[in-house]
Every structure is written in C-alpha cells, then in structure tokens.
Amino acid sequence: MRATLIPSFVTTGRRLSDRQKDIIQKFAALGSLLVLIVVFALASPAFFSVNNGMTIALQVTSIGLLGIGATYVIITGGIDLSVGSVLALSGVVAALCVKELGFAVPLGMGVGILTGALCGLVNGILVTRMRLPPFIATLGTMLVARGLALQITGARAVSGLGDAFGELGNGALFRMVTIGDDGFPTVTFPGIPYPVVLMTVIALAAAFVLTRTVFGRHVYAVGSNTEAARLSGVDVSRIVTLTYVISGTLAGLTGCVLMSRLVTAQPNEGVMYELDAIASAVIGGTSLVGGVGTISGTAIGAFVIGILRNGLNMNGVSAFTQQIIIGLVILLTVWIDQLRNRR
Amino acid sequence: MFEGGGGAVLRQGRDGETSEGCWQAPALRADTVLALESITKAFPGVTALADVSFDLRPGEVHAVCGENGAGKSTLMKIISGVHKPTSGRIIYKGVERRFSSPLEAEASGIAMIHQELNLVPHLSVAENIFLAREPRRGPLIDRRKLKADAQRLLDRLGVTIDPGCSVRTLSVAQCQMVEIAKALSLNADVLIMDEPTSSLTEQETTILFRVIRDLQAAGVGILYISHRLDELKAIVDRVTVLRDGRHVSTEDFAATTVDAIVSKMVGRPLDKKFPERTSTPSDETILSVTGLTRRGAFSDVSFDLRRGEILGFAGLMGAGRTEVARAIFGADPFDAGTITFEGCDLRIRDPRDAIAAGIAYLSEDRKAQGLAVGMPVDANLTLADVAGVANGAGIIDRSKEADVVRHYIDLLAIKTPSPRQPVRLLSGGNQQKIVIGKWLFRQSKLIFFDEPTRGIDVGAKFAIYRIMDELAAKGVGVVLISSELPEILGMTDRVAVFHQGRITRVLETARIGQEDIMHYASGCGERV
C-alpha cells in the first residue's frame, strides 16, 4: 500500500495541470448550464419551480437515454442514426403486443425493448461482420425500422391501450397528495416521474460500466486506437457490436417510455431524435473521432438542450428560432472543444 | 557569430576560390545546385541531425548511405520542405532558401519520390502527373492538353504507360515511373529518390537506371538513397555516408569500395552500447515454425526458437520479417505452414489466440499499433489483460490496478509524472517501455520485438536491451526484428536472415560480422 501512496504524493505537482484542464472543461459545460438556468429564471418566474424542474427532467429523459447509447457508440468511433426509428418500432411493437396479442404490459414492453436490442444487434453485425461504415449501416436500419413501424400499424396510431400502459410514462415516485378539508386532493409534491428515476438509474449504471469495468475500458481502447486494441487481444467486433446493442436497447426503452406517456403508440414518433442524442453527447465533450467521452458530460449536454427548449418556449420564442439557437449552440460548443484539443 | 562567418565565406567563394573559416564551404562552386551547410535538426529528446554539410552537383547521382536512424530520411525531409532545420542553411542555386512546405520546394524545382508512393489511385496517370497544376482552358481542365503533355513526358522516359488509365491498375514500378514523370513535369533540378528499387524487379530496376542516366544527362542532380549498396556502382558518382545523424564522409564512388562504405556506416564503437548478455538459451524449443507461407509476402519460412534464446530477424525492409511475426501473432492470416508452441500445434486466427497462448508482439509502429496514445499510462499498461485486474464480474479493482501499474513503472523505470498521464505526452523510450510492460503483465512466454529501439535515444535503448536480456534469462523466448545490424550482433544468439520473403540463412551470431548478414540479406548467394 505504501508503495502506491508515496509516488502519487510525490508526483501530484504536474498532474494537476491535466486534472485542472479536465475540471475546467467540465465546469465550462456545467457553467453554461447554470448560466442558462439563471437567465431563464430571471426572464420567466415560472421557470425556476419544482414543477417546471420536473417537466424539464421528464422532457430530457428521451434525449438522455438515447444520448447514453450514442455516447457508447461514439466512443468506439461509430455513430447510430437509427435510434429515432428504432424507438418508434419498439414502441408500436410493445403497444401491438398489449393490444392485439393481449400480453401483460410489462411483457409487451419487454418485447418492445427486445426489438430495440435486436435492431442494435443488426447494426452491430452490419458494422463488424459486413464491414459497412456505421453511418451507412445505421442509415439503412433507420429507414427499415421506420418503414416497419409504419407497415405494422398501417401508419395509424395505436390507441386504447388502457391505464396500465400509461403507468411507466405518467406515474411518479414519492408523489404526495393531501386530501383537504373540502375533500379535494391537493398535490403537495408532484413526485419524481418514473422516466426520470429510470434515466437517473441507467445513467449511473452506464457511467459505472464505462469507467469501472473491463468492458468499459475496452470500449475506450477500441475508440482510442482500434488496431492497438486488436493487437492487445481486445475482441473488437464484440465490443463494437455490444455498443450498438446498448444503443438499440436504450432506444427500445425510450420508445416504451414515450408511448406510455402518450398512452398511444405513434409510428411517427421520434423523428430526428437521433440527432438530439448525438448533439447531447457532442455538447458533453464526446469526440466523434472516438476514444473520448463521459456519461456525465452527455447528461449535461442533454440538459443544455432540454433547458434551452423549455426556457425558450416559456419566453415565447418560436420553434424555428429555437432550432437556430440550438444549432448555433452545438457549433459553438464543438468549436470550443476543438480549440481546447488544439491547445 | 557563426552565421556571419558563413555568409562571409559564401561571398568570398562567389568571387573566387578562396575560403575562410573553420570548414570548407561547399556551396561556392559554380557547379553546385544544392549545398547543405551545417544542417542540424533536433526533435524533442533526440538530435536527428548534427552539423551535416555536403553538396550536390547538377548531372550527378549522389548516394546518401547510412543505417536506419542515421538521419537520411530526416535530411531528405528537410531538403524537400517537410521539416525545417533547427539550424544550418540550405543553399539552392546559390541562394539561401527556407522552404515552408513541400509544395514550395517543388515549385522551386526540388522533387521527392517517396518510398511509399504519393499517388491518388482513382485518378488517371495524366491527372496524377499534373495534380493541382492541370492545364486549363478558362475554368475547365484542358483534357486534350493534359493527356498530350503526360504522353510526352512518358515518352521521354521511354515507358509505355497509357496516360488515360487509372493509377490503381499500375504496378509499383509503373507508379514509380509516373512519379518520375511528375518530377520531370516540374522541371526539377534536384530529384530525391528514397529507396526507389526496394519493390522493383531486376528488369524494372534496369529501366529505372536508364531513366536516371537520361535525367543525369539532362543536368538533374539526383540524391539517391538506398540500402542496396551493390546496385550503387551502376549509377552513382559520389557517395555521402551519415552515421548517428552526423556526416562521416563524402567521396567519389570510384575512389572507394562497398566494404569501405559499410564500415563507415556501421563503424561506431560497439562497447557500452549493449549490456553484457547474462542469459543462455536452454535446450528446450518453445516455438517451432515450419513452412509458413503467405503468397506475395513470405514463403516456406521455417525456424526454431528455444526458451531463453534471443533470435534475430535481419534483412532489408520489405524482406518479410514483420509479416512473418505478425502472421505468427495472428495479426495477419497465412496460407500454409504449422506453428508449434510449447510442444502443441497452435491454431491462430486472431491475436487473441496467440495472446492466450502467451505470445506477444511489439509493433514497429508503436503509436499506430502498440498504444492507445490518448489513454493514460495505467490503462495502456493493463490493456492486454484488463481482466487480470478485475474481479469475476468484470469490475476493475482500482487499488489492484494501481499496484500493478506502480510495479511496472518501477520495474521498467518508466518516467511519467503520473500513472494518469496520457501516453502521447511521454518520450518514445518511455512509450516503448509501456508497451513492454503491457506484455510483461500478460505473462508472455514469447515476445516479438519489432524494431524496438527505433526513434529512441541511446540511454533508453540500453534499458530496453537489458530488459530483453532479463526476459531471456527468465526463460522467455525473444525474437528481435531489427534493421540495425549492430543491435542484431550485440543482442542475439542466432540470426535468421531474410531476403525477399524467405529465410536465406540462420547464423550463429558469435561467429559472424555485419558483412555476413548484409551478404545474405541482399540475396547474393553462398559466401566464400
């Protein structure tokens, strides 16, 4: 033990500079997040409230979950464009299982999530075994999955799914309701929506897997230098395939959550969500070259996008202007990241 | 002060033949197209060139010889504008020049034909020759003139290549001719050829030499780099020898011999460069390779390696040494042959199979193939066996990993400010030690060291030699692939000499000299 303690004590001198850089970068993202919150809070009193906080968190769940998957894929040097479509396919599969086949809701959603995992597996096989560029492979599955979702629903929304189907998306943990003297219920605390709980748990687990497990180490190694990883005995194909499976599975889960929130399965749901997911990862410091990225960064990125949308909405900024602003934010953050890397 | 002195010398030299100062200024003669004066180039941690001066005359073929690492490539890169010298002057056509890019050098008439040819495979021959200098008619490319100009150049070279065909359909020799045509189209006065014959057949070499003589007659000065000393006598006028980044000699080729050049190339004191060998090979064979063949790369390669033995792989670049090592390691496939490791036939389809058996390969290109340079020291050290510092569930035990990393940093004396330091910020020698540490932690029983000391300073080289010796002393089988003959002679027990994909001879190191290895490496047949 001594042996490990003494040198790290001795060597902390130069180590700080790199550490500091890391911290500064984290704070840069976090700082801009805080600035956004302050600005919006000043602009609109309704913004800074528990209720709106929960709303934002709920809105962020889908970008967040997809962003976690995107982070895994992008760290290996890949990209997953299919998640928006996979989300829709998984959601309608879950809904059809419940409605047409009479499955119990958890089982139906399980099938939906499995559909997402399968789509991810297909992506992984296309990229590793068939050696297609990730962009093309997932572009293909994006079209196929969307087409399938429209096909099996006849392009119609699947509704009449029952209350149980809506529980995952609309329920909340620790919701506190007091019945007043007049007999009417009053909500004292809105509770933490289940999707937010789910996202938090998954984000923590994803961060742990990425930083603390053999698999996570291999993910970084593959992205940092594929050839060196292969020559060090890392099963590159397996690692890459698994990251697409993770991305697909999370897309499947996101699909179930979204459809549950609406209590309706929309085959048109999730269009362009893949770009939000990629944007949140990139704003959070994940490098498209591979080898670099963190779940905490992606979470910050997802909240930056979510808060921008929410705050701009509350201030009556049109959807078009919102797009312009978010586009500029993406360009700005990535440019800053480039500057930092160039030194 | 020195700069001023050099300038004065130059001016005087122009006027007459007088020269002043501590050295003869070579730039002053009327028949000099390019003169190098005290060129020094320092990279972080390594001085690649120190005070190199010589000149090139128009119409001369000037060979630049030296071992790998002697500084030839660096020097050529300085002349062609890739690198800037740390100090010293380049006098081109009587004017001091500092080229800021290869483009600028090219535009001034200095063209370089790289060992790895720089052609765009999907464009046609004509388009490649005039790339970025296409003849235009208004905004459009004048296709007819493009083709006609290219045809004229190719005719001048006397080669039959259709200027309209795509470069990817050409052989290496034909690509070389296209590169030369490109140089001609630049009206180059200085042409640098880096190992131009390394991938040519004898017949193609003959054509190349005829072209070189034509260029020579046209007054082009040619700097010719080659490891194949035997072929120099066919074309070379003068020869300059570099050693360890220093200029050794420049003389008329007729006034010297190949043996004299070789001894100048390698003539450094061998003492202290290598540690005393403490290990002796056991009788037990650890690796036995029979009839290993991959079409187009190597054929019928057979050798044995004993426990505790250091076996050298010597030969010219492209002779198949790396390819054989990579095939045994599973990094590349092979067509035929058997690999017996520790008495068992080994089926290797992937590096994972080889690593599981205890075979390791240290790549010659550590940055591209050995290290994840963006990742920290600790992650690189445990990369080949992350599971070895993790529990059964695949969760990394951080304190165990820290202990392991600390152990190897101490054992190999890796200089790093912290185990979390990204590897790219370390020196070449320390990077190489990390790759070695990675394979030590994997408990490898057989290690291929492919050019392990390339680009590493002398002190770190010594440390790496000592590690190799210690490994052998512990019963590890070591294969040392090296183009540096002193290294082969200083470190190995036996040497397998490669020539064009075959092992021409396995020699007992104690009984041979560099000339013997060079002899078999150039495929000259039996030595008497």
Side-chain angles (χ1 to χ4, degrees), chain B residues 121 123-128 147 161-170:
Chain B
L123 294 183
S124 75
V125 169
E127 284 164 337
N128 265 287
K147 210 167 169 182
I161 300 172
D162 176 9
C165 77
S166 167
V167 159
R168 83 199 125 106
T169 63
L170 301 183

Side-chain angles (χ1 to χ4, degrees), chain A residues 253-343:
Chain A
L253 180 64
T254 311
C256 291
V257 171
L258 264 178
M259 309 296 179
S260 166
R261 250 172 78 192
L262 307 167
V263 208
T264 307
Q266 284 275 9
N268 280 318
E269 191 62 56
V271 175
M272 299 252 285
Y273 273 35
E274 58 277 349
L275 300 185
D276 276 351
I278 294 165
S280 65
V282 166
I283 291 174
T286 306
S287 160
L288 287 174
V289 182
V292 178
T294 57
I295 298 298
S296 57
T298 300
I300 292 170
F303 270 95
V304 166
I305 295 179
I307 286 177
L308 262 176
R309 288 234 168 90
N310 177 280
L312 294 172
N313 261 335
M314 289 191 125
N315 287 287
V317 177
S318 81
F320 309 138
T321 318
Q322 281 184 34
Q323 285 203 23
I324 295 173
I325 292 175
I326 292 172
L328 292 176
V329 165
I330 293 171
L331 295 179
L332 186 74
T333 46
V334 179
W335 178 61
I336 291 172
D337 201 43
Q338 289 289 334
L339 285 183
R340 190 179 57 88
N341 287 334
R342 229 180 285 150
R343 264 163 241 266

Side-chain angles (χ1 to χ4, degrees), chain B residues 89-153:
Chain B
R89 313 191 315 152
I90 301 169
I91 313 288
Y92 175 59
K93 294 182 178 173
V95 183
E96 178 175 354
R97 300 295 296 265
R98 278 189 167 256
F99 300 117
S100 57
S101 71
L103 242 92
E104 198 185 322
E106 257 185 22
S108 320
I110 298 180
M112 173 147 178
I113 298 173
H114 292 268
Q115 210 172 335
E116 61 282 3
L117 303 164
N118 287 328
L119 295 173
V120 185
H122 290 273
L123 294 183
S124 75
V125 169
E127 284 164 337
N128 265 287
I129 293 174
F130 292 103
L131 191 62
R133 297 175 293 117
E134 296 86 352
R136 283 158 190 260
R137 200 163 21 176
L140 303 176
I141 292 175
D142 186 343
R143 298 206 154 270
R144 199 174 303 161
K145 183 165 167 19
L146 179 76
K147 210 167 169 182
D149 286 355
Q151 186 69 58
R152 199 169 320 122
L153 288 165

Side-chain angles (χ1 to χ4, degrees), chain B residues 204-225:
Chain B
E204 290 166 334
T205 303
T206 313
I207 297 174
L208 178 74
F209 284 178
R210 184 179 54 66
V211 170
I212 288 176
R213 278 191 215 98
D214 289 349
L215 291 171
Q216 202 178 352
V220 178
I222 296 168
L223 280 173
Y224 187 94
I225 301 174

Side-chain angles (χ1 to χ4, degrees), chain A residues 70-86:
Chain A
T71 308
Y72 271 82
V73 171
I74 296 173
I75 289 174
T76 65
I79 194 102
D80 189 349
L81 299 178
S82 69
V83 290
S85 299
V86 169

Side-chain angles (χ1 to χ4, degrees), chain B residues 379-399:
Chain B
N380 272 286
L381 272 170
T382 56
L383 183 58
D385 193 12
V386 190
V389 290
N391 66 16
I395 295 167
I396 295 169
D397 180 340
R398 283 183 168 176
S399 71

